Amino acid sequence: MQQLQGKVAVITGGGSGLGRELALCCAARGMKLVLGDVDEKGMQETLRLVEAQTPGTESATMRLDVSKLEQLQALAELCTSRFGAAHVLFNNAGVSVGGAAWENTVDDWEWVMGVNLYGVVWGVKTFTPMMIAQGEGHIVNTASAAGWVNGPNMSVYNVTKHSVVALSETLALDLRDAGANVGVTCLCPAFFPTGIHESARNRPADKGDTVELSETALKRAELTKAAIQKGKIQASDIAEMTVKAVEEDQFYVFPHRKIKQLIGLRAQAAADEKTVFDSMNP
Ligand SMILES: NC(=O)c1ccc[n+]([C@@H]2O[C@H](COP(=O)([O-])OP(=O)(O)OC[C@H]3O[C@@H](n4cnc5c(N)ncnc54)[C@H](O)[C@@H]3O)[C@@H](O)[C@H]2O)c1
């Protein structure tokens, strides 16, 4: 979608981190914003920053949980009633939990699968028909390097992000088959500084039973936190690359070049029927 000026951007997880930076980037291109997040305060802070950077940006927010289909449907209705359309959907809200697959609780699985996978599925299910009907649109799914390369202590997260990659590729193929003028972008960043390592701040009480991390898992979690905080590429850079990918109808975005090498190593090792883990997971 070459021309974004005046179009409507819908951003889940718009109250923090990458979602906030996507909002700033979209506003800078003259887009109208519809933000959805469980964190109302975070969204208001995003809008404050947007107003300071691009005064007069038209916007709306909705407090919602992306794991619930009916709440995504309400977000779509807000887009229609307020702006008459939704042109670019960023399925971006995401959370993380550590632990080994057999130790993670049912709540761990349901919470993270609900936000990271079903949040994207419901976004696609709700907004794609609108975009097909209006004759144009673009869907951006925030996956992760974890959608390609499996690090330890991140079972649930890795599963969701691989699924988002699979969903994005299949969605693009099916849209092509349907002759729809709707683009797809799959964003796969490695670690960068945001609030993701503090995901539990937005964990619902009814999904509160979590894994007790082993000593090894706690060390792994500390390493992950440090990697996130020390990430050299900033959320603002990644947002800019992503919005550019929408403008250029680019499918994959790998902001961290090293990930492309690791994907190549993983693919080659699999093709050779060899283990990939020792070389890839320090
Ligand atoms: N930061 C990283 O290192 C990294 C790396 C790869 C991919 N990602 C992905 O980037 C995306 C954005 O995360 P971030 O890093 O900006 O983290 P973040 O914690 O700063 O932002 C995530 C946002 O999602 C919102 N959210 C959480 N649960 C929600 C729910 N049920 N419904 C609606 N909103 C909800 C949070 O309130 C928050 O505003 C996620 O999909 C994440 O998996 C992050």
Side-chain angles (χ1 to χ4, degrees):
M1 189 178 291
Q2 287 169 353
Q3 184 52 259
L4 296 181
Q5 171 84 29
K7 301 270 168 66
V8 180
V10 186
I11 306 170
T12 69
S16 177
L18 180 59
R20 175 170 291 162
E21 296 299 334
L22 286 168
L24 286 161
C25 266
C26 290
R29 280 162 166 85
M31 298 187 82
K32 297 165 190 166
L33 304 178
V34 178
L35 308 182
D37 201 301
V38 281
D39 180 356
E40 179 62 43
K41 261 193 180 168
M43 287 191 286
Q44 293 311 322
E45 175 60 10
T46 298
L47 291 188
R48 192 188 66 75
L49 294 168
V50 164
E51 183 58 25
Q53 179 208 261
T54 314
T57 299
E58 289 185 69
S59 62
T61 63
M62 179 176 278
R63 187 175 185 281
L64 58 76
D65 178 349
V66 293
S67 69
K68 316 272 191 226
L69 172 61
E70 63 279 9
Q71 298 192 19
L72 262 304
Q73 289 168 334
L75 187 69
E77 280 159 24
L78 174 65
C79 295
T80 307
S81 64
R82 186 70 198 275
F83 297 122
H87 297 100
V88 184
L89 168 67
F90 295 88
N91 281 315
N92 168 76
V95 292
S96 174
V97 70
W102 70 93
E103 289 176 343
N104 281 119
T105 61
V106 171
D107 279 3
D108 286 339
W109 280 97
E110 287 186 353
W111 175 49
V112 181
M113 295 278 281
V115 179
N116 293 10
L117 175 54
Y118 279 97
V120 178
V121 173
W122 300 147
V124 166
K125 184 165 175 53
T126 303
F127 284 85
T128 310
M130 281 174 68
M131 291 178 180
I132 292 173
Q134 78 197 8
E136 64 172 345
H138 199 104
I139 296 177
V140 178
N141 294 331
T142 303
S144 169
W148 292 91
V149 180
N150 295 301
N153 197 43
M154 293 171 64
S155 256
V156 195
Y157 189 80
N158 291 344
V159 166
T160 63
K161 295 302 185 178
H162 276 259
S163 301
V164 171
V165 171
L167 173 65
S168 304
E169 286 193 354
T170 317
L171 175 66
L173 292 172
D174 289 342
L175 284 166
R176 202 167 63 182
D177 274 0
N181 182 28
V182 178
V184 181
T185 291
C186 183
L187 170 63
C188 302
F191 298 125
F192 61 98
T194 65
I196 190 87
H197 59 286
E198 291 164 346
S199 292
R201 72 191 187 280
N202 293 321
R203 188 167 175 151
D206 67 348
K207 294 273 181 290
D209 178 30
T210 192
V211 59
E212 197 173 310
L213 294 179
S214 67
E215 222 171 278
T216 310
L218 278 170
K219 278 187 197 146
R220 290 282 190 199
E222 276 307 310
L223 287 174
T224 303
K225 182 178 165 185
I228 291 166
Q229 289 174 329
K230 285 187 203 149
K232 289 200 183 83
I233 303 185
Q234 301 303 311
S236 52
D237 302 323
I238 294 174
E240 182 56 38
M241 289 176 209
T242 307
V243 175
K244 218 164 173 206
V246 174
E247 290 169 327
E248 293 173 2
D249 198 16
Q250 178 186 327
F251 183 80
Y252 273 120
V253 181
F254 289 104
H256 302 78
R257 257 183 298 156
K258 196 176 163 209
I259 297 307
K260 291 198 245 186
Q261 289 169 353
L262 291 177
I263 290 171
L265 286 174
R266 176 180 187 264
Q268 190 53 54
D272 294 343
E273 297 181 359
K274 287 189 180 147
T275 179
V276 292
F277 311 115
D278 294 336
S279 58
M280 288 172 46
N281 295 326

